[in-house]
Amino acid sequence: MSTQVPETETETEPEPEPEPEAESEATDAPEAEDQDFGAETRRRAQAALEKADRTVELKVFRYDPEVPEKEEPRFDTFTVPFKKGMTVLDALMWARDSYDSSLTFRHSCRQAVCGSDALFVNGSQCLGCKTQVADLADKGIPKTVRIEPLPHAEVVKDLVVDLEHFYDQMEAVEPYFQDEDLPSGLNEQRQTRENREKIKMSTRCIWCSACMSSCNIAAGDNQYLGPAAINKAYRFAMDDREGEDLKEHRLNIIEQEHGVWRCQTQFSCTEVCPKDIPLTEHIQELKREAVKKNLKFW
Ligand code: SF4
Ligand code: FES
């Protein structure tokens, strides 16, 4: 499903505490504990909001195909106390823990390493854990932060998208070292300093899929390998240790109909990559290598 929906907003506030029932008996212990936990959470959220110098409003895309009343896409607004140093992921976690435990998004490392929390924030792809809320606003004072799932991917629930297609494209370029000439015994397989320098940036990919989501070509051509997969092909094609035959094999893969020649040098992938990989540059270099391979007199 697409995230391009008319905005229907739901203001989400900490729910009022239920009135204590007179003479009610706690017959179900776990449920009673849950209620206590919920009430305590709401009390803490309210107190934090009252104490906060500043707050920020998160407008968060919501969609759950498994719950009839939530299968119509909408935006929920959560007010979150803003602290300097807070990331978009921190703010989302606060909203989830304080207002709605069903708010769904991926995250793991919280330090731009695992690549699981790529989101579409204020109209741009980024990692939630690497994006400071303050950086999204003029003069560091945030007002509203709009958070959506990555465009051009199927939404599974709320901010979670299906990355199966992205992984298939990565897999298509055989993203693993293949050696024709393994050294014997315990001998190391050395790489020159210069060659390591050449491929250094391409090795930084964390498979977040932000680049693929930002690419207009990938949006229009579902079979396009995409910037991340081509960068992965670059990482191995340019590694001197694999040898010329494997390099040719890799160039054949990226030269296919939906490979490098689809790229129109729009730089959107390079702009959003959270690891600063010069993706467009790598794609252009592979184009040059492919041409050289095909020119017999080169
Ligand atoms: S190339 Fe950059 S944007 Fe693309 S998947 Fe890798 S880390 Fe993410
Ligand atoms: S949580 Fe791992 S990259 Fe953001």
Side-chain angles (χ1 to χ4, degrees):
M1 65 140 309
S2 156
T3 60
Q4 306 303 305
V5 292
E7 278 182 35
T8 331
E9 273 189 49
T10 317
E11 193 82 35
T12 311
E13 303 236 329
E15 288 164 30
E17 260 183 66
E19 290 287 322
E21 274 179 36
E23 294 178 19
S24 72
E25 280 182 30
T27 51
D28 184 332
E31 217 173 84
E33 273 173 26
D34 277 356
Q35 275 182 11
D36 283 351
F37 175 78
E40 181 53 28
T41 306
R42 285 192 293 275
R43 248 195 306 276
R44 273 201 239 125
Q46 197 58 52
L49 281 175
E50 281 161 15
K51 267 205 294 188
D53 291 335
R54 284 190 245 150
T55 59
V56 58
E57 293 209 324
L58 306 186
K59 278 175 87 172
V60 184
F61 179 86
R62 306 299 306 273
Y63 165 71
D64 186 350
E66 290 178 0
V67 179
E69 59 273 21
K70 294 183 178 171
E71 59 189 14
E72 191 59 42
R74 66 179 198 279
F75 282 85
D76 278 353
T77 301
F78 302 106
T79 306
V80 171
F82 168 71
K83 280 186 259 162
K84 195 162 178 269
M86 175 181 248
T87 65
V88 169
L89 180 62
D90 293 334
L92 273 175
M93 290 166 86
W94 198 93
R96 178 198 59 197
D97 297 345
S98 308
Y99 296 115
D100 183 352
S101 58
S102 74
L103 177 58
T104 305
F105 48 93
R106 289 193 183 105
H107 66 90
S108 179
C109 69
R110 300 180 70 179
Q111 49 190 317
V113 169
C114 72
S116 60
D117 64 335
L119 297 162
F120 195 54
V121 178
N122 284 0
S124 183
Q125 288 81 358
C126 63
L127 293 180
C129 66
K130 200 184 172 211
T131 307
Q132 295 282 314
V133 172
D135 289 345
L136 298 168
D138 286 343
K139 297 178 192 147
I141 303 170
K143 294 217 165 53
T144 302
V145 177
R146 185 181 163 107
I147 307 173
E148 297 167 81
L150 288 178
H152 310 137
E154 198 72 17
V155 179
V156 178
K157 183 183 174 189
D158 294 342
L159 301 171
V160 173
V161 295
D162 184 352
L163 290 174
E164 219 40 58
H165 175 63
F166 172 72
Y167 295 143
D168 286 346
Q169 303 306 76
M170 294 295 265
E171 195 57 35
V173 299
E174 304 175 10
Y176 36 83
F177 192 68
Q178 301 174 53
D179 200 357
E180 290 164 329
D181 250 338
L182 272 180
S184 59
L186 293 175
N187 289 335
E188 294 167 351
Q189 190 172 38
R190 296 213 167 157
Q191 182 178 33
T192 63
R193 199 175 282 274
E194 295 72 32
N195 189 232
R196 170 62 197 164
E197 239 352 90
K198 181 170 185 61
I199 63 164
K200 185 174 80 180
M201 292 306 285
S202 67
T203 64
R204 298 179 65 178
C205 178
I206 53 173
W207 296 51
C208 71
S209 152
C211 55
M212 185 80 147
S213 165
S214 76
C215 176
N216 284 335
I217 310 303
D221 173 6
N222 201 37
Q223 292 181 62
Y224 175 46
L225 283 173
I230 297 175
N231 172 70
K232 192 56 82 176
Y234 175 99
R235 182 257 171 272
F236 291 105
M238 297 299 175
D239 190 322
D240 284 348
R241 294 169 298 175
E242 275 203 341
E244 283 306 311
D245 290 349
L246 270 166
K247 180 169 182 176
E248 188 168 339
H249 170 65
R250 294 194 179 279
L251 291 176
N252 287 338
I253 295 175
I254 54 96
E255 257 206 289
Q256 53 161 299
E257 189 187 347
H258 301 278
V260 281
W261 302 111
R262 291 275 161 169
C263 172
Q264 293 183 6
T265 330
Q266 293 179 352
F267 284 92
S268 56
C269 55
T270 303
E271 272 166 28
V272 301
C273 177
K275 304 307 278 187
D276 299 325
I277 303 172
L279 294 163
T280 315
E281 207 178 285
H282 289 171
I283 296 171
Q284 302 319 306
E285 194 167 342
L286 280 181
K287 283 180 182 174
R288 285 196 292 275
E289 288 296 313
V291 171
K292 278 201 262 179
K293 173 176 78 71
N294 293 330
L295 289 177
K296 303 294 180 214
F297 53 84
W298 196 266

